[in-house]
Amino acid sequence: MSDGEATFTGLPGGVAVSRLCVYDWPAADGVRGGTPHLHLACSEAYVVTGGRGAVQTLTASGYRVTALVPGTVAWFTPGTIHRLVNEDELRITVLMQNSGLPEAGDAVLTLPPEYLTDPEAYAAVTAVPADAPEAERERIARARRDLALEGYRELRAATGPEPLAAFHRAAAALVRPRLAEWRERWRRGARAAATATGDQLDRLARGDVGHLADAVVQAEQPFEQGRFGMCGRLDVYRQGQ
């Protein structure tokens, strides 16, 4: 869609969704759950559809635990380190800003500092090869979760703002080579959706209802089920991809 067109056919606001079954793998601290990480340019929301658990968050304002039960809608802005905890078969529909960018690159795991300063070392311990056998993909996903928990525990135990600020700087440096690609996704998605709304309001103010004749209805099923994500097994949709 080009700027100024009256119809945006993506999900409302240029968001994307996935369905998530949170990992029930126990970690060294006895807690079952996912991999702590943050997003640098995207907000994310959880709509809890089943089970029970929590999300641990760490920001410059401190550490917090938010309970997650069916019916809960919880969300957080860029810079929030978050760790999902599975207490009883926690299932979530995830709403992601910028056409699913959080699952398309806007995520940095809380690995120990030595991995954050070397893009190749970071990639080597975080990539889950799609063509590997499932048992191997599970091993890799679990190992990167446990490694991220090492860095996460250090950040939680740190005193003063500098350790968290240093992690923010390292995360930003890691993703900088991809910012042009992210900007293009934003341009085609969230910005295009907002532009379309402005155009529609202008048309309505003029008494022009022509865009209503361009209405469309769309639906889709997941194109991939059970992908090993950061927080759990994902059912992934193509919208926003």
Side-chain angles (χ1 to χ4, degrees), residues 147-195:
L147 187 61
L149 284 170
E150 292 181 20
Y152 175 69
R153 286 192 292 270
E154 292 179 8
L155 290 171
R156 278 191 55 187
T159 58
E162 177 52 28
L164 183 58
F167 174 71
H168 290 168
R169 292 193 296 270
L174 272 176
V175 305
R176 191 168 294 122
R178 302 190 65 182
L179 293 183
E181 171 192 338
W182 294 7
R183 183 176 295 275
E184 179 59 19
R185 180 180 286 250
W186 161 76
R187 189 193 66 79
R188 296 194 316 266
R191 192 176 79 166
T195 298

Side-chain angles (χ1 to χ4, degrees), residues 128-151:
V128 180
D131 58 352
E134 179 161 344
E136 176 65 5
R137 285 182 282 134
E138 178 174 334
R139 184 196 67 78
I140 295 170
R142 189 163 180 168
R144 75 177 179 182
R145 189 279 309 264
D146 292 341
L147 187 61
L149 284 170
E150 292 181 20

Side-chain angles (χ1 to χ4, degrees), residues 72-139:
T72 300
V73 178
W75 64 96
F76 41 85
T77 58
T80 303
I81 294 173
H82 48 289
R83 176 198 188 188
L84 275 172
V85 174
N86 187 351
E87 297 172 355
D88 181 19
E89 298 184 355
L90 182 60
R91 298 184 303 282
I92 293 170
T93 295
V94 184
L95 307 179
M96 296 166 288
Q97 194 177 14
N98 294 318
S99 306
L101 184 56
E103 287 177 5
D106 182 14
V108 174
L109 279 55
T110 56
L111 301 185
E114 59 267 28
Y115 294 94
L116 300 174
T117 56
D118 183 342
E120 292 185 1
Y122 181 89
V125 296
T126 58
V128 180
D131 58 352
E134 179 161 344
E136 176 65 5
R137 285 182 282 134
E138 178 174 334
R139 184 196 67 78

Side-chain angles (χ1 to χ4, degrees), residues 188-203:
R188 296 194 316 266
R191 192 176 79 166
T195 298
T197 298
D199 189 30
Q200 290 159 5
L201 292 172
D202 291 342
R203 291 182 182 213

